[in-house]
Structure formats: C-alpha cells, structure tokens
Amino acid sequence: MFLTITTTGTADRPATDLGYLLHKHPEKAQAFSTSYGTAHVLYPEADDHRCTAALLLEVDAVALVRRGKGKGRGGAPDAALAQYVNDRPYAASSLLAVALSAVFSSAMRGVCAARPELPEQARPLRVEVPALPARGGPELVRSLFEPLGWAVTAEPVALDARFPEWGDSRYVRLELESARLTVAEALRHLYVLLPVLDDAKHYWVSSDEVDKLLRAGEGWLSEHPEQKLITSRYLSRRWSLTRQAMEALELVRLAEADDSEVEEIDNAVEAEAETEEKPTPLAVQRRDAIVAALKESGAARVLDLGCGQGQLVQALLKDPRFTEIVGTDVSMRALTIASRRLKLDRMGERQASRVKLFQSSLAYTDNRLKGYDAAVLSEVVEHVDLPRLPALEYAVFGAAHPRTVLVTTPNVEYNVRWETLPAGHVRHGDHRFEWTREEFRAWATAVAERHGYTVEFVPVGPNDPEVGPPTQMAVFELSTATTEKTEKTEKEAKAA
C-alpha cells in the first residue's frame, strides 16, 4: 500500500515544514511496526519549493491470514473468499488508515511542539493513492471528498488493459488537491474515508470505534451530505453503533447552529446523574475473577506464585477470609516493589502476620510451598520456556499439591481485536508463547489427569463469540479420590 502527501512552498514558508508537521525528518527513512506489517516513511523529494512524504505499508500477508477475522461482522469479505489471494497487501484500506493513525498520530491531532504555529496554517496539499478500492465507483469518491474542499481526480483502473471489453475494476487511482486545508484535516479525512470507500475493516468493530469516528470527524462530519453513509460504512453497518454515532453528530450540528457547546444542548440529564462507567481494565477483571474463584473454593491459605509487584496479594489482604497469603517470585526487584506496594514496613502486626513474600523459582520444587489450600499462577506460564513447563508442572501440581490451582494466561485468538498490536507479536516482550483456547485446554486437561485433578475453564473479560475472551482461566480441583488418598496418607504419617 502506498500514499504520498505533497506540498509546495517558498523561501519564507518552505515546503519542508511538512517534516515538522508530520514529526518525520525529511532526510531520514524510518520504519514503524503496525498491526499487520511495517510502515515506511520516506521523502522522495524535499526542498524549499516542493516536499513529498511517502507512506509505504508492507503488509505481512501470513499474519493477516492467521490473525485476521476474515469473516463475520466487520470482517474483510475478500479474506473470507480467498484467504491467500486478495487485495489486502496492495490496495488502500483500513490497514492503511490504522498505519496513518499510528505513524502520524501527533500530526492528526494538530500538535507540533517545535513549531506550534504550523498546524493551524492551511497549505497547498496534494494526496495520491495509486490503488484505492471504491465500492461505489469514482462518483462516490467525488461525493465524499469534494464537500470537504478537495479537487478530486478518481481514475478507474481497468480490470486488464489488454482486454478493455472487460470494463473497469472497483479500484481507482486517486489524486486529491486543496489549497485551504491543514495537514491535520487532510489526515483525518483519509483516516475515515479510506475504509469507508473499501467498505470493510480488518479488525473487530466495537463501541470504541464510535469515539474514533467522532474524534476524526470533528469539524466536518456533522455537516457532510453523505454523513449517514460514512457513519454506517465506517462502523461496518452495525446498526446500534451507527445510531449512537448519528445521535452524537446531530447534537454537534445543533450546538454549532446555536453557537453553543454540546453539553449545553445535551442537558436533559444533570451531570451528577450520569451513570456511564469507564470500562474495567482487564487486569482488574482478572484479579476479580481469581478472588471470586478462591472464595468459591473455600481456600484460606493461598499461594500467589509469580506474584510480580503484588497486586493480587494486595487484593487478597482486603478480605479477612484469607488468613495466610504467600507471594513468591524469582525476581528480587519485583518482590521489593511488592513490599513497597503493601507497605510491609508500616503494616500492623496482626495484618503483617497474614502475609509473606519470598524468592522462589517455579523451575524447582520448594518445600515451603507445601500444605496450602490454593495456588495461583496468574499470567505466569507464558513467561516460561515450553521445555521447562514440565518442571513447573511438577513443582506446583506434583510437589506443592494444593487442593485448588488457578491458572490464567492470554488467549492468543483474541489478539486480533487489538488493532495496535504489531503483526506476529505477543502481548508482552517476555512471553515465550501464547496459547489458543484449544491448546490451553489440551495442556490443562493433561496436567489434571497426571496429578489427580479435575479442571474447569472460565472466561475472563468480554467473551467474544468468534475468538473467545482476552484471558482464559483454568480452575483445577483435587478429585475426591485423590483428596481421600491424601488425607489417609497424612493420618498414617501422624500415627507413625
């Protein structure tokens, strides 16, 4: 995918100011990792009179197939029909729009700390996109861009120049020219309208897309004659989201007509009565799910294995039913931070008697871990090299052998829902692997069978109908026969 932005200038207002506005130096070629490939920014020409910035998006076609939805609501229909033969790596689409947002985020916001006067200046601009899918043809391209102040050239691309009788494809060569727009406005127009013309998105469209549309459409979308079409296509024709966006845009239009603020128009409910809540962070949802599972198990003495900075230990200390909480980690630095978080040096004697922190490696058995009701491995197993997992398994399930074990780990299938996660990357640089739901179930079921546990699986976070939850949790419980055998062994040991 390829896009260029060109401006002209004079000695007093050099064209190379474009470099300040885009936050990319004209003398450098730079590369940036994006959702599904690498974005390259370079300047084919740069002097006082003419400057051109080029964005080249090199799409990782294999990652696109592996991580892309391909079908379902908001999916790219081409990938659904032919996963390995499609236009995604070559034609401008939501992939290029996301790359624009990632690479030129400050420019889109109109921010330039080095030259704060520049973002507000309109300048002659020329945008070229060699291959743009346009479901609606050149007429739709003109009807979307011309009301925004662009002079539009949308030249249809023939299906095959050797066979003109076949007619035109759905692609156009796009050229836009304007002398009265800022760079920020131009980028926001492209960010919204490229996927609208393609009429497809490569990622799941959720409620946060409404906010993205309203931010990028500020100042132009509320008065655009094709507002309804733009909104519907941008939100992948999801009716509920489209209605939500249209209502918000109508409020903006009314406020502008009345020369007032949106808040003054939308005053049917007092600000104090607003009940909309911010989304709960996944880390908090995960801790809540773990605490709920521990309560259900009836555990009082709990191990947090790989406790990190002590967030879960801190949450467990708030509930008096957990009488003894032990946090272990191989990292002394993490334990030091956990100690500070818990304020162990200032904790009362009674509270301090409930908590212990010590260094331990899950690659080895540790007699200090025996005899506890429950053990938690929260986002731990994926940090262990696969060949060392059997050692962790034995140390926890074989040697420590608590009645309950909770294991949470990322669901790699859900990664496609995060458009900013680079192609082929795991969620954290230290993750040695990330499992699909099937892979996690296979591992957990085999562990349970080997060590006399039963296992159930609990979704953590929003359970997407196509790719599942962002976090998957396995709840291991010692089987009745294993528990009875353990109790008998303990009685015999005491009698002896």
Side-chain angles (χ1 to χ4, degrees), residues 129-370:
V129 184
L132 173 67
R135 298 177 189 273
E139 296 77 15
L140 180 60
V141 178
R142 285 190 285 271
S143 69
L144 293 183
F145 282 102
E146 285 181 349
L148 301 174
W150 292 101
V152 180
T153 301
E155 180 185 344
V157 177
L159 279 171
D160 193 319
R162 296 172 298 173
F163 303 97
E165 65 273 15
W166 289 1
D168 295 329
S169 69
R170 64 185 180 92
Y171 303 93
V172 299
R173 291 187 184 92
L174 177 65
E175 296 178 3
L176 303 172
E177 291 192 72
S178 175
R180 61 184 182 88
L181 292 171
T182 67
V183 170
E185 289 171 329
L187 291 173
R188 290 198 292 267
H189 295 166
L190 293 167
Y191 175 76
V192 173
L193 297 180
L194 290 181
V196 166
L197 284 165
D198 188 25
D199 198 13
K201 284 198 171 182
H202 69 280
Y203 58 88
W204 176 257
V205 174
S206 57
S207 57
D208 62 346
E209 291 295 298
V210 175
D211 293 331
K212 294 179 187 177
L213 175 62
L214 295 177
R215 284 196 300 269
E218 184 178 358
W220 63 271
L221 184 55
S222 63
E223 298 293 338
H224 198 291
E226 297 291 347
Q227 176 198 111
K228 187 172 182 179
L229 179 143
I230 293 170
T231 304
S232 176
R233 284 194 175 192
Y234 184 87
L235 297 171
S236 295
R237 304 180 189 273
R238 293 190 60 184
W239 177 81
S240 60
L241 297 182
T242 302
R243 184 182 65 177
Q244 180 184 340
M246 293 294 289
E247 289 173 351
L249 289 167
E250 178 62 14
L251 282 173
V252 172
R253 189 189 66 78
L254 291 172
E256 289 175 347
D258 197 39
D259 195 22
S260 58
E261 297 294 327
V262 171
E263 291 77 8
E264 296 176 26
I265 300 293
D266 189 21
N267 60 0
V269 179
E270 294 293 332
E272 293 77 12
E274 292 180 359
T275 57
E276 184 178 352
E277 298 180 358
K278 293 182 179 180
T280 304
L282 180 59
V284 175
Q285 295 182 58
R286 188 162 50 237
R287 284 197 296 274
D288 290 345
I290 291 170
V291 172
L294 289 172
K295 289 178 180 178
E296 188 175 345
S297 75
R301 303 175 68 238
V302 179
L303 295 166
D304 182 8
L305 304 176
C307 66
Q309 299 179 14
Q311 292 94 331
L312 178 60
V313 174
Q314 187 177 43
L316 295 175
L317 276 172
K318 295 176 182 177
D319 194 324
R321 80 182 69 203
F322 301 114
T323 58
E324 185 177 349
I325 305 150
V326 172
T328 76
D329 203 286
V330 72
S331 167
M332 283 304 300
R333 182 173 181 272
L335 292 171
T336 300
I337 295 173
S339 178
R340 291 173 184 163
R341 176 187 294 275
L342 299 171
K343 299 181 175 64
L344 289 181
D345 56 337
R346 287 177 279 168
M347 191 177 287
E349 184 177 345
R350 184 175 179 182
Q351 188 80 329
S353 66
R354 296 174 56 211
V355 61
K356 296 176 187 174
L357 299 177
F358 58 78
Q359 187 180 32
S360 182
S361 170
L362 293 174
Y364 307 97
T365 59
D366 189 333
N367 289 331
R368 294 174 295 178
L369 305 181
K370 293 182 178 180

Side-chain angles (χ1 to χ4, degrees), residues 17-195:
D17 283 348
L18 184 63
Y20 285 102
L21 289 164
L22 297 179
H23 295 256
K24 304 293 180 286
H25 199 290
E27 295 181 5
K28 295 181 180 178
Q30 296 175 265
F32 305 87
S33 183
T34 67
S35 304
Y36 287 85
T38 303
H40 302 271
V41 178
L42 59 149
Y43 289 78
E45 54 184 346
D47 57 40
D48 289 352
H49 300 290
R50 185 178 172 90
C51 184
T52 298
L55 174 64
L56 171 66
L57 180 59
E58 229 180 343
V59 176
D60 184 340
V62 175
L64 190 63
V65 172
R66 288 177 177 171
R67 300 176 60 231
K69 281 156 50 67
K71 56 185 177 180
R73 289 188 299 178
D78 298 314
L81 295 173
Q83 287 189 331
Y84 294 93
V85 182
N86 56 65
D87 66 354
R88 301 296 90 184
Y90 315 107
S93 65
S94 58
L95 288 160
L96 187 59
V98 169
L100 279 171
S101 176
V103 175
F104 299 133
S105 58
S106 297
M108 283 182 63
R109 297 196 308 272
V111 175
C112 181
R115 299 281 299 280
E117 76 281 1
L118 290 182
E120 299 299 321
Q121 295 176 3
R123 60 186 58 246
L125 293 172
R126 179 184 177 89
V127 175
E128 296 181 62
V129 184
L132 173 67
R135 298 177 189 273
E139 296 77 15
L140 180 60
V141 178
R142 285 190 285 271
S143 69
L144 293 183
F145 282 102
E146 285 181 349
L148 301 174
W150 292 101
V152 180
T153 301
E155 180 185 344
V157 177
L159 279 171
D160 193 319
R162 296 172 298 173
F163 303 97
E165 65 273 15
W166 289 1
D168 295 329
S169 69
R170 64 185 180 92
Y171 303 93
V172 299
R173 291 187 184 92
L174 177 65
E175 296 178 3
L176 303 172
E177 291 192 72
S178 175
R180 61 184 182 88
L181 292 171
T182 67
V183 170
E185 289 171 329
L187 291 173
R188 290 198 292 267
H189 295 166
L190 293 167
Y191 175 76
V192 173
L193 297 180
L194 290 181

